[in-house]
Amino acid sequence: WLRSQPWCNGEVGMMGISWGGFNALQTAALQPEGLNAIITLCSTDDRFADDIHYSGGCLLNENHGWGATMLSYSSRPPDPALVGERWRDMWLERLENQPLLIDEWLSHQARDGYWRHGSVCEDFSRIKAPTLAVGGWGDAYSNAIPRLLEGLSSPRKAIIGPWVHKYPHFAVPEPRIGFLQEALRWWDRWLKGLNTGVEDDPDLRVYMMDGVRPATWFTERPGAWHAIEHYPPRTQPTQAFTLSPARLNAADVTPAPAPSPDDGRRTIAITSPQHCGINGGEYCAIWLGPDWPGDQRDDDAASTSFETPPLTQELALLGAAELTAMVSADQPFALLAARLCHVHPDGASTRMTYDVKNLRHRGNPARPEVIVPGEEMRIALKFDDIAYRIPAGHRLRLSLSTTYWPLIWPSPHNATLTLNLETARLSLPLASACDASDKVTFPPPRSAPPQRLAITREASHRRHTKTDQATGSVSIEIEDDFGLFEDLDTGIISEEIAREVQTIHPDDPLSASMTTHWTQVRRRGAWQTRTEARTAMNADATTFYIRASVEAFEGERKIHEKTWDRRVPREHV
């Protein structure tokens, strides 16, 4: 259709962020005639391993959170100014037929055809269109970019900044860049045939972040842009570490003294309270609230940790760290969470990167394996990619835990893992592949004029952790108030408020629960609508229980209500 329009020269480009980025990749893999270039931002090539549903075979709570968001978004009415008097019938049809996505996603607990469909990593060679991949270290989708660079054979380039899940010309934390100008260079080359120099750009332009103190939000991150001319690098040195009780030992350094007979010697036990991970922040920072991981000291104390002495020189990392080891579990379900933290001289702990692994998914994620209690298993964890500098005099800490709430849903049992220290090895990718920062320059950020709004109530975002002193349960309460405002061009007055509560008892994985409540208001003059969407989930050892409802109001009159009550077997999580 686009190619047939009189204003189109027959050359089409596709660009989008998040879903739009997924769609650009998936459409390119279908090779429609005339799609000659794409720009994909904050997207994934792998819908099972690296989306908001599962990670390492562990169930992400974002599966529930985003499903609840979509339940609310899909409940909003059409605008009568666009569709006329049929708006109400259209709205009721939409409300009656919208799906409960939480249930659908939770019903696929292994890498089956549901996830392979739409995962372009299944066959990168299907993407022929030149591809510019863009993302940020504060986003959940940055891992896809190195995989795209390595897997695509079509012309491809990439940019990774310090940003969260936003376009780079208005994202935080700063520095922002002139992304629209970069996009125009890409389109002019591949859609118009102009020589804009994009083919001479480094394969990867990446922002190396300086080590900073932990904070739940950043407006800027100190650091510098660097260039990697060829990605993956032809050679990249690594630094290996072995593990001994409480110690990370550089492989080229004399290890710590042999442990005494009463400290475990060749093995060490790992078991964690269920609220370990409470300072992990959001899986994907998107609403611009206090969503980054905070000081990790409490979570480190709830974990089994290994730490270097103060570093004698700066340690600069670029890429994905890896941890391999032999472990055994005392339960038929178990998981392992691993964090790499930058420890400051005063003890403050900044999470740099992490990974989680459902030990039933230790091999092929399409075919989860049983865990035989007491039997050793080989596990391999690949941490999220990162570009980060730890100053000399600071420490590197590896923290291992058997839970990571509320980022992931807990295993049904309080598991204890036994780690074979003699087999454990941590490998860090060193940043010597980076070229000097003066090879990367961007124009200043530019954008269209902002939406014209009359704001009655400013947006606000809060996140509180509470402990019930009577029961010992720990809760995180989140409220994202997107404000009350009028669009001065359309006259629509909008109000959105999202509330989320995640609760668990430190001693009981089956106490885990999550609830959400979204309010959506749209009105213009006499036209007034509101929806209230609620979800809740808990589980026992064999079953997930999901409850949801949507109420729709015209004025103050309820015109529709739909409820769901679903049970999903726990097959692999």
Side-chain angles (χ1 to χ4, degrees), residues 337-384:
R339 291 173 291 115
L340 283 176
C341 296
H342 161 201
V343 182
H344 300 256
D346 66 352
S349 179
T350 302
R351 195 189 78 189
M352 299 186 298
T353 181
Y354 76 104
D355 190 30
V356 293
K357 179 72 72 175
N358 177 347
L359 297 189
R360 289 198 165 202
H361 288 249
R362 61 191 179 274
N364 185 342
R367 293 191 292 273
E369 306 170 60
V370 298
I371 296 174
V372 179
E375 184 177 291
E376 274 200 332
M377 305 166 282
R378 183 184 183 278
I379 56 103
L381 280 77
K382 186 176 182 180
F383 293 76
D384 286 350

Side-chain angles (χ1 to χ4, degrees), residues 397-444:
R397 178 181 291 161
L398 169 68
S399 291
L400 305 178
S401 60
T402 52
T403 60
Y404 203 46
W405 177 265
L407 260 72
I408 58 177
W409 197 267
S411 294
H413 310 289
N414 275 319
T416 297
L417 301 181
T418 299
L419 173 68
N420 184 329
L421 292 172
E422 293 184 339
T423 65
R425 191 173 183 89
L426 174 67
S427 177
L428 301 183
L430 302 182
S432 57
C434 283
D435 292 332
S437 57
D438 59 6
K439 290 192 175 183
V440 180
T441 59
F442 292 103

Side-chain angles (χ1 to χ4, degrees), residues 155-485:
R156 80 286 182 273
K157 301 292 181 180
I159 301 169
I160 307 178
W163 316 299
V164 296
H165 196 76
K166 298 293 181 186
Y167 281 97
H169 56 301
F170 60 79
V172 290
E174 295 198 46
R176 298 165 177 157
I177 66 169
F179 165 72
L180 297 181
Q181 299 96 305
E182 285 293 317
L184 188 60
R185 292 178 64 224
W186 195 254
W187 302 134
D188 282 348
R189 169 62 185 91
W190 300 114
L191 304 185
K192 294 183 179 180
L194 303 179
N195 182 11
T196 62
V198 295
E199 292 159 292
D200 298 325
D201 289 341
D203 282 355
L204 175 61
R205 287 168 285 176
V206 60
Y207 192 75
M208 175 69 67
M209 297 185 295
D210 293 342
V212 294
R213 295 185 63 79
T216 56
W217 190 246
F218 295 97
T219 56
E220 61 179 333
R221 287 295 297 259
W225 286 99
H226 290 266
I228 301 180
E229 292 293 340
H230 303 285
Y231 193 95
R234 293 189 177 93
T235 59
Q236 183 173 18
T238 60
Q239 173 65 65
F241 292 85
T242 60
L243 277 60
S244 59
R247 284 288 299 269
L248 271 179
N249 310 298
D252 56 354
V253 176
T254 303
S260 59
D262 62 352
D263 65 9
R265 290 187 292 186
R266 298 179 181 176
T267 64
I268 196 166
I270 305 171
T271 187
S272 312
Q274 294 299 319
H275 68 306
C276 179
I278 206 75
N279 297 305
E282 284 294 310
Y283 173 74
C284 185
I286 184 171
W287 299 139
L288 307 184
D291 293 342
W292 290 61
D295 196 322
Q296 300 292 289
R297 277 182 277 198
D298 288 346
D299 289 343
D300 292 350
S303 308
T304 299
S305 294
F306 307 86
E307 188 173 299
T308 66
L311 300 173
T312 57
Q313 59 185 11
E314 176 187 85
L315 179 62
L317 307 178
L318 174 67
E322 297 185 15
L323 175 67
T324 57
M326 299 295 292
V327 301
S328 61
D330 66 345
Q331 299 291 340
F333 285 84
L335 61 86
L336 177 64
R339 291 173 291 115
L340 283 176
C341 296
H342 161 201
V343 182
H344 300 256
D346 66 352
S349 179
T350 302
R351 195 189 78 189
M352 299 186 298
T353 181
Y354 76 104
D355 190 30
V356 293
K357 179 72 72 175
N358 177 347
L359 297 189
R360 289 198 165 202
H361 288 249
R362 61 191 179 274
N364 185 342
R367 293 191 292 273
E369 306 170 60
V370 298
I371 296 174
V372 179
E375 184 177 291
E376 274 200 332
M377 305 166 282
R378 183 184 183 278
I379 56 103
L381 280 77
K382 186 176 182 180
F383 293 76
D384 286 350
D385 285 80
I386 195 63
Y388 193 100
R389 296 184 187 276
I390 305 177
H394 295 218
R395 299 172 185 258
L396 173 69
R397 178 181 291 161
L398 169 68
S399 291
L400 305 178
S401 60
T402 52
T403 60
Y404 203 46
W405 177 265
L407 260 72
I408 58 177
W409 197 267
S411 294
H413 310 289
N414 275 319
T416 297
L417 301 181
T418 299
L419 173 68
N420 184 329
L421 292 172
E422 293 184 339
T423 65
R425 191 173 183 89
L426 174 67
S427 177
L428 301 183
L430 302 182
S432 57
C434 283
D435 292 332
S437 57
D438 59 6
K439 290 192 175 183
V440 180
T441 59
F442 292 103
R446 292 176 57 190
S447 63
Q451 185 180 15
R452 297 193 311 125
L453 301 177
I455 298 175
T456 303
R457 185 179 72 246
E458 294 283 353
S460 63
H461 306 273
R462 66 178 184 86
R463 183 186 187 98
H464 296 296
T465 301
K466 297 182 177 180
T467 300
D468 187 320
Q469 297 297 329
T471 66
S473 291
V474 179
S475 297
I476 294 180
E477 297 181 2
I478 302 167
E479 182 177 276
D480 292 313
D481 183 343
F482 299 94
L484 175 61
F485 55 87

